[in-house]
Amino acid sequence: MSATLPSASSSAVDFLAPVFAQYPLEVVSAQGVWLHTADDRRVLDLYGGHAVAALGYAHEGWTRALTEQARALNFQSNAVPLAVRTRAAQRLVRFSGLDFSSVFFVNSGAEANENALKMAFTLTQRSAVLALEHGFHGRTAAAGALTWGAANRWYGFPRTPFDVGFLPRRDLDALATIDTRTAAVLVEPVQGVGGAFDLGAEYLQALRRRCDQTGTLLIFDEVQCGMGRCGTPFAANLYGVQPDMITTAKALGNGFPCAALLMSPRVAQAVKLDALGTTFGGAPMAGAVIEAVIDALEGEQLLANVRRVGQYLRERCQVGPVCGYQGAGLLAGLICSRPAKEVHRALLERGILAGTSSDPRVLRLLPPFILREEHVDQLRGALLEIGAGGAGS
Ligand code: PLP
């Protein structure tokens, strides 16, 4: 082979696949809700690393649980029973307060969705799935097939692995599309990437009823909106809907990669030996951090904080370029009167990291659950300074 390899010493070559647009900041450490940058700035993190940093940074209990577990037993496979894995499953089901009887641990949100869909096909013996317009479910073959807009942008597989359809959001009449051929409906009760768009109790309860009529399984993708982000254990609790399955990730591990599929008794009874599998899912370090996250959510009253500060944010931050609000708890969509990207840039210049969404008007906030009113006041001040006007920041 005579191919010329790029020089590793060239600073322009970092060998990372160039698939992610990069924010103009280099983070070297973080504490609480604050990021510290290489050029010595402090940045208020209202984005939480795509909704992951629920407990904030350098959380003592989480760090202790992770390091102690790493010392005690850093890995054993699912072929070996582990008390820490069992405790994590028990804690997660109890935390949910919902009717689940089985948990399958995996590594990422997309993987949790793949397994949920597999269970839906196994149980119903049907081959079609519906999702919602503007929903996001991950980038793997099945999860990507159900992600709105993926086909034209990045799906990358020659065909979808099953029949796929999309329902318009909050459209009660369109629920009639769900029929006895529909294995499952996969839905984010509060859409994250779609702009913190809350589907609401009326729609989700009607969706539950239609699924019951047609024998269709209802899967809530709570990868982003779950684990307390809406101020309740899951958005399912907030909207009074019991889904057949919930998938969750992100905040579940607070930065340690892990995910879970929670199954109702009806789904759980269809799980047979060897039907699902994973090497790293349910690993001891994942189990330890899941326990630590639930300890913190319960012991530090973080759900109450999410509800209180989320409400304060809603009341105080519809100023400057922000003309409306959607979302729940600390999954907040600030609807802007000018492109959200402009507002995002202007906030970063003022030391605040927010998020955007697939809706160009919506600035998406996914802060740690330890956010306080004083941080919201700082955001309000920056929004007032930015103002409703033109492109200037
Ligand atoms: N589902 C939702 C609602 C998400 O927001 C995401 C990621 O952003 C995923 C699934 C995919 O999760 P992961 O990136 O962990 O595979």
Side-chain angles (χ1 to χ4, degrees):
M1 287 253 310
S2 62
T4 312
L5 294 171
S7 157
S9 62
S10 158
S11 61
V13 177
D14 62 12
F15 295 104
L16 292 168
V19 293
F20 299 106
Q22 304 281 281
Y23 291 146
L25 80 168
E26 189 184 339
V27 179
V28 289
S29 65
Q31 183 86 34
V33 294
W34 296 98
L35 308 177
H36 306 144
T37 66
D39 58 355
D40 246 359
R41 280 181 298 139
R42 241 163 61 108
V43 174
L44 176 63
D45 186 7
L46 301 183
Y47 190 54
H50 290 320
V52 167
L55 309 185
Y57 302 94
H59 184 275
E60 230 173 84
W62 181 89
T63 308
R64 193 183 329 110
L66 182 61
T67 49
E68 283 180 2
Q69 185 61 51
R71 277 195 206 101
L73 175 68
N74 65 314
F75 190 73
Q76 270 297 306
S77 80
N78 283 288
V80 174
L82 296 179
V84 64
R85 180 188 301 127
T86 306
R87 282 200 310 273
Q90 289 169 339
R91 290 291 302 277
L92 187 56
V93 168
R94 284 192 205 119
F95 171 73
S96 81
L98 295 163
D99 186 22
F100 293 117
S101 63
S102 190
V103 177
F104 181 59
F105 286 121
V106 285
N107 308 287
S108 71
E111 193 187 357
N113 285 335
E114 296 274 324
N115 283 286
L117 292 163
K118 193 172 172 183
M119 285 313 302
F121 292 126
T122 304
L123 193 63
T124 62
Q125 296 294 305
R126 301 174 183 176
S127 61
V129 180
L130 294 169
L132 263 74
E133 293 179 359
H134 305 282
F136 184 92
H137 302 292
R139 290 173 179 269
T140 51
L146 293 163
T147 291
W148 175 252
N152 303 326
R153 293 181 45 226
W154 49 257
Y155 184 58
F157 298 97
R159 65 190 72 86
T160 62
F162 43 78
D163 300 331
V164 169
F166 290 95
L167 298 168
R169 303 186 293 193
R170 287 193 190 150
D171 184 338
L172 294 174
D173 294 336
L175 294 179
T177 316
I178 303 168
D179 62 23
T180 54
R181 287 165 299 182
T182 316
V185 178
L186 178 62
V187 55
E188 296 168 84
V190 183
Q191 293 185 331
V193 175
F197 185 94
D198 46 306
L199 286 161
E202 187 194 8
Y203 178 80
L204 291 167
Q205 290 173 9
L207 176 61
R208 175 70 274 182
R209 283 195 297 276
R210 183 62 189 159
C211 286
D212 287 342
Q213 284 163 6
T214 56
T216 300
L217 293 175
L218 180 58
I219 308 169
F220 274 8
D221 176 341
E222 299 219 24
V223 167
Q224 189 162 150
C225 65
M227 290 308 293
R229 182 156 295 282
C230 292
T232 47
F234 288 97
N237 309 84
L238 181 65
Y239 296 121
V241 176
Q242 168 72 51
D244 298 289
M245 289 178 263
I246 282 183
T247 57
T248 194
K250 293 191 186 278
L252 178 70
N254 190 48
F256 190 87
C258 58
L261 164 61
L262 291 93
M263 292 174 270
S264 69
R266 177 181 167 214
V267 179
Q269 55 78 32
V271 179
K272 300 282 181 291
L273 194 66
D274 224 21
L276 310 174
T278 168
T279 296
F280 293 117
M285 284 155 75
V289 300
I290 290 167
E291 263 198 294
V293 165
I294 296 173
D295 275 346
L297 295 181
E298 293 177 343
E300 295 167 27
Q301 286 78 47
L302 291 183
L303 302 194
N305 194 63
V306 167
R307 291 193 295 273
R308 198 187 68 246
V309 179
Q311 180 60 27
Y312 188 71
L313 201 157
R314 184 182 200 131
E315 284 161 10
R316 301 285 290 162
C317 289
Q318 296 186 53
V319 296
V322 180
C323 58
Y325 171 96
Q326 60 195 22
L330 289 179
L331 174 41
L334 303 184
I335 305 166
C336 298
S337 56
R338 42 195 277 210
K341 266 193 179 157
E342 274 179 32
V343 181
H344 181 273
R345 197 180 320 119
L347 283 173
L348 198 51
E349 282 164 14
R350 289 164 175 80
I352 297 176
L353 178 62
T356 53
S357 72
S358 62
D359 184 334
R361 302 167 312 142
V362 176
L363 194 74
R364 185 171 39 133
L365 306 182
L366 309 151
F369 301 171
I370 55 172
L371 198 77
R372 316 290 309 181
E373 281 84 349
E374 72 212 56
H375 305 128
V376 175
D377 291 341
Q378 186 178 335
L379 172 65
R380 176 184 161 86
L383 289 169
L384 283 167
E385 210 179 285
I386 292 164
S393 58

